[in-house]
């Protein structure tokens, strides 16, 4: 039976075997690895993977706990900035009844009895035999699909084989199982960068900033996203003009996804650029024959343009929507009403006679 740790009613000798939930992830408090005048320290075993990748430190003194934790995090932050080779990853966490607590890397064995396939895979990766290592790791994951070390190592092998897209997917699975591991977050961002997955770079960076604000290893990758989103936008327009509608749609979708993440974090800075990308995305959907998706993108662009009093941009989006309506009046009218709750207005059902949108027919 799973029993949640209750710091008000459980004595320290009762901690082992209890469960704590951190960022939605359940952990079993495993054996202690140290204690002292300041804190109790236990290994944490992920309930899904069975692996120990972190320790949990629970401070004793309700009066000085926060100051001690702040000083410890500050010291690790300075070490990281100075570039020391091995800086334990440390992160403050909230536990009911605890004066203060933090997660930190566990540098011992992550499981007591690793499978022979995992040991074989690790040696193969060490020898840069990527394909054989990937095959051995697949065997480990057949036995335990939640084994995040195997997922991480398989992503590493596939990235070396040119499979950055698949590496991103594998690290997303690993992070869903174990969301608090800093090396996993970094790897997710780095593989997303290699795959050109700009939205995923920002998703990972957001998690990194929230959980480990002193870590600056991926700052440059995140800073490059706006310029790369603009480049994707321009590339999609070129593809559209040359009649490569499917490639244009895929490329513009990635650009718009990136602008959406940017606008979520900084609406004033990126809302208008998001609306411009949505106009282009709507036109790409229209050229690919999907007027419903085109309607959704163009209506959203009009809403954003109106909110920011961008009259010219609103007109461009409206003109593109008129063109979509001319191609499929019932489909656009039905989707417009589904999205807005109102019938499409008469002025939008007059066919445009000028050039519409940022991508041309």
């Amino acid at each position: 039976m799973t029993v949640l740790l209750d710091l008000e009613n459980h004595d320290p000798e009762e901690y082992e075997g209890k469960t704590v939930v951190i960022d939605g992830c359940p952990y079993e408090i495993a054996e202690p690895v140290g204690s002292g005048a300041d804190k109790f320290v236990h290994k944490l075993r992920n309930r899904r993977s069975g692996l120990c990748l972190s320790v949990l430190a629970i401070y004793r003194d309700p009066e000085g706990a926060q100051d001690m934790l702040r000083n410890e995090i500050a010291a690790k932050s300075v070490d990281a900035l100075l570039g020391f080779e091995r800086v334990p990853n440390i992160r403050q966490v909230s536990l009911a009844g605890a004066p203060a607590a933090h997660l930190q890397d566990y540098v011992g064995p992550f499981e007591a009895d690793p499978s022979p396939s995992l040991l074989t895979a690790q040696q193969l990766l060490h020898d840069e035999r990527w394909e054989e290592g990937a095959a051995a790791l697949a065997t480990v994951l057949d036995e335990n699909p939640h084994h995040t070390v195997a997922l991480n190592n398989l992503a590493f092998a596939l990235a070396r084989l040119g499979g950055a897209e698949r590496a991103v997917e594998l690290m997303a699975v690993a992070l869903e199982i174990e969301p608090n591991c800093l090396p996993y977050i970094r790897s997710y961002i780095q593989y997303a960068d290699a795959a050109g997955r700009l939205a995923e770079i920002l998703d990972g960076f957001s998690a990194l900033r929230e959980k480990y604000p002193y870590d600056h290893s991926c700052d440059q990758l995140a800073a490059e996203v706006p310029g790369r989103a603009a480049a994707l936008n321009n590339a999609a327009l070129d593809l559209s003009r040359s009649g490569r509608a499917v490639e244009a749609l895929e490329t513009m979708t990635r650009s718009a996804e990136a602008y959406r993440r940017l606008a979520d974090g900084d609406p004033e800075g990126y809302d208008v650029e998001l609306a411009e990308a949505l106009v282009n995305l709507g036109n790409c959907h229209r050229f690919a024959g999907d007027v419903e998706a085109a309607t959704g993108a163009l209506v959203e662009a009009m809403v954003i343009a109106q909110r920011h009093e961008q009259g010219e941009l609103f007109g461009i989006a409206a003109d593109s929507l008129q063109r979509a309506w001319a191609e499929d009046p019932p489909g656009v009218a039905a989707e417009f009403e589904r999205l807005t709750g109102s019938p499409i207005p008469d002025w939008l059902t007059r066919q445009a006679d000028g050039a519409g949108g940022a991508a041309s027919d």
Side-chain angles (χ1 to χ4, degrees), residues 21-46:
V21 179
I22 300 172
D23 284 355
C25 182
Y27 299 93
E28 175 191 356
I29 298 181
E31 61 269 26
V33 293
S35 65
D38 297 334
K39 55 192 173 184
F40 304 99
V41 183
H42 283 257
K43 291 164 60 177
L44 280 185
R45 181 173 292 111
N46 185 291

Side-chain angles (χ1 to χ4, degrees), residues 233-245 248 287 358-361:
N233 179 83
N234 293 335
L237 294 178
D238 288 341
L239 289 166
S240 181
R241 293 186 186 105
S242 59
R244 296 156 68 181
F287 300 153
S360 60
D361 289 296

Side-chain angles (χ1 to χ4, degrees), residues 7 15 37-40 57-62 64-73 90 97-102 104:
L7 290 168
Y15 291 175
D38 297 334
K39 55 192 173 184
F40 304 99
I58 301 173
Y59 288 77
R60 296 172 180 262
D61 179 14
Q66 286 293 335
D67 286 339
M68 285 187 286
L69 177 55
R70 275 194 294 269
N71 290 339
E72 192 157 357
I73 291 176
I90 185 169
H102 75 252
Q104 189 167 327

Side-chain angles (χ1 to χ4, degrees), residues 280-315:
N280 292 331
L281 179 62
N283 284 328
C284 285
H285 277 300
R286 183 164 65 87
F287 300 153
D290 188 346
V291 294
E292 289 187 3
T295 302
L298 294 168
V299 167
E300 185 179 1
M302 291 167 64
V303 169
I304 296 171
Q306 187 172 47
R307 183 166 66 240
H308 289 274
E309 300 180 345
Q310 296 287 319
E312 183 178 357
L313 180 57
F314 181 92

Side-chain angles (χ1 to χ4, degrees), residues 268-282:
E268 288 301 316
Y270 290 102
D271 259 6
V272 172
E273 288 178 79
L274 170 60
E276 292 170 347
L278 287 169
V279 171
N280 292 331
L281 179 62

